[in-house]
């Protein structure tokens, strides 16, 4: 590894964690790697076992129909009523040498499945890159579901440059930041590089700051597509379709391409204009952000519901409850003056707000900057 700061994560059968044993990237520590030195780190992960259901199948290479050295499959519930950060957790499986895998300990419900491996392009089940087009897998009465296969496409980026970035021998670079529609960076978003015929040739995953990079790009014409679970996908120039996206001409220089992904709910294959589970809750973000000394958190309800709005610090501790009552349908704004539950003024830093109803949980980030 080149010297630098890294966000490290570990996957095993049934467990996942960021270093050191953090459930989400916001709680993770940055690991500084120094040139010529070896860093030894340990994970103490606890496997999730919330039910008797299981999903099994195979993950391998599409081009050679061969298993991968190590493939990972994750299953994310399409609906959760858990509080953040538990609402962000998922189930994991690591493939065997023959490519087989099994996700176990699953409660009943629908799941969005995602498979990936080193030097291969990650995808959702079944052979799609956009989570909104994914096919959900349903566990009923604890009965196992088998035959869920992932045929991953090899990436063109099979080498790395001196900085450790994937390279295909070119001299150009494409980089940028993926935001949601409240101007907050999205971690763990996928950005796909498409050739001039619209075929996916490489992928990059955003870091905790929403940043992605494609280095060593050969000159030519490309398109980009950014995707993230819970957000509507966008192509370059924030176009909703590939046909509307302008071609991106790469000519030996650096291209900065940012994305803004609107809030959206993934839908299963075969459904039209109908969300998989309508929640009626839409988080509209907060403004201003960054803020000082106060900000307004906006949301809308499609129907009357009991709403809870909590504020958390970076360690996941609940520091204030702004709302815990029945709320009528419509758009609402709640003002927070950066004080905790005891009325103490808080200092500069990153904070999280989590709004929930009986059917949905939404989380946002905000920065208090004095």
């Amino acid at each position: 590894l080149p010297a630098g700061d890294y966000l490290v994560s570990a996957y095993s059968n049934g467990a996942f964690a960021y270093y050191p044993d953090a459930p989400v990237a916001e709680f993770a520590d940055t690991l500084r790697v120094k040139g010529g030195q070896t860093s030894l780190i340990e994970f103490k992960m606890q496997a999730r076992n919330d039910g008797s259901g299981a999903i099994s199948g195979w993950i391998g290479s599409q081009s050679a129909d061969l298993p991968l050295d190590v493939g990972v499959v994750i299953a994310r519930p399409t609906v959760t009523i858990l509080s953040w950060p538990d609402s962000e957790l998922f189930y994991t499986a690591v493939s065997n040498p023959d490519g087989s895998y099994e996700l176990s300990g699953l409660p009943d419900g629908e799941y969005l499945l995602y498979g990936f491996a080193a030097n291969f392009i990650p995808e959702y089940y079944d052979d799609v890159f956009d989570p909104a087009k994914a096919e959900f897998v349903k566990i009923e009465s604890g009965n196992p579901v088998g035959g869920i296969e992932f045929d991953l496409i090899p990436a063109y980026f099979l080498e790395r440059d001196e900085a450790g970035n994937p390279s295909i021998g070119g001299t150009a670079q494409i980089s940028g930041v993926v935001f949601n529609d409240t101007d907050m960076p999205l971690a763990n978003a996928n950005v796909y590089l498409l050739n001039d015929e619209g075929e996916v040739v490489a992928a990059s995953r955003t870091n905790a700051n929403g940043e992605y990079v494609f280095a060593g790009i050969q000159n030519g014409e490309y398109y980009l597509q950014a995707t993230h679970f819970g957000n509507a996908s966008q192509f370059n120039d924030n176009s909703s379709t590939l046909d509307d996206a302008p071609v991106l001409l790469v000519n030996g220089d650096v291209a900065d391409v940012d994305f803004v992904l609107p809030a959206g709910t993934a839908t299963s294959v075969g459904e039209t204009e109908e969300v998989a589970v309508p929640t009626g809750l839409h988080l509209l973000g907060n403004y201003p952000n960054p803020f000082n000394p106060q900000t307004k958190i906006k949301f809308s309800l499609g129907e009357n519901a009991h709403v809870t709005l909590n504020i958390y610090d970076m360690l996941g501790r609940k520091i204030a409850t702004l709302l815990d009552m029945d709320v009528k349908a419509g758009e609402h704004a709640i003002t927070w003056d950066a004080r905790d539950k005891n009325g103490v003024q808080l200092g500069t830093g990153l904070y999280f707000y989590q709004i929930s109803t009986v059917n949905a949980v939404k989380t946002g980030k905000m920065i208090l900057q004095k």
Side-chain angles (χ1 to χ4, degrees), residues 6 39 91 96 103 158 161 196 201 214 216 234 260 320 359 365:
Y6 289 83
S39 299
Y91 300 86
N96 299 310
L103 293 151
L158 301 181
D161 62 16
D196 57 354
V201 296
F214 292 103
Q234 299 284 277
V260 177
N359 291 320
K365 304 177 186 178

Side-chain angles (χ1 to χ4, degrees), residues 104-126:
S104 59
L106 307 181
D108 287 355
E110 286 188 323
Y111 293 89
L112 181 75
L113 267 63
Y114 175 77
F116 65 94
N119 298 323
F120 285 81
I121 298 173
E123 64 180 42
Y124 294 91
Y125 182 75
D126 184 14

Side-chain angles (χ1 to χ4, degrees), residues 194-245:
L194 291 70
N195 62 19
D196 57 354
E197 296 181 357
E199 300 170 329
V200 175
V201 296
S204 178
R205 198 161 176 84
T206 60
N207 60 18
N209 298 318
E211 301 164 337
Y212 75 92
V213 62
F214 292 103
I217 302 292
Q218 294 177 341
N219 293 339
E221 295 182 342
Y222 297 93
Y223 297 94
L224 293 171
Q225 181 183 15
T227 70
H228 185 267
F229 179 78
N231 295 86
S233 300
Q234 299 284 277
F235 292 87
N236 50 296
D237 201 37
N238 289 312
S239 302
S240 59
T241 66
L242 179 62
D243 291 339
D244 293 333

Side-chain angles (χ1 to χ4, degrees), residues 57 79 88 108 110 160 194 247 258 283 300 311 316 351 356:
V79 176
E88 299 303 304
D108 287 355
E110 286 188 323
R160 293 185 178 271
L194 291 70
V247 67
D258 293 342
L283 182 58
S300 67
I311 307 295
Y351 296 90
S356 61

Side-chain angles (χ1 to χ4, degrees), residues 289-344:
N289 191 19
F291 69 97
N292 180 30
Q294 64 183 25
T295 186
K296 287 186 177 182
I297 301 171
K298 296 184 178 181
F299 66 94
S300 67
L301 292 172
E303 57 189 3
N304 299 346
H306 188 92
V307 178
T308 301
L309 176 58
N310 294 319
I311 307 295
Y312 297 85
D313 63 14
M314 286 190 64
L315 298 179
R317 297 173 300 196
K318 184 168 69 174
I319 57 177
T321 297
L322 305 185
L323 196 64
D324 189 5
M325 59 183 293
D326 293 335
V327 178
K328 293 183 178 181
E331 187 171 312
H332 304 271
I334 305 298
T335 300
W336 185 47
D337 60 359
R339 297 180 185 272
D340 66 11
K341 57 186 176 183
N342 298 317
V344 177

Side-chain angles (χ1 to χ4, degrees), residues 49 57 84 110 149 176 258 268 285 290 317 325 358:
N49 187 7
W84 187 91
E110 286 188 323
E149 297 189 351
D258 293 342
S268 183
R317 297 173 300 196
M325 59 183 293
V358 68

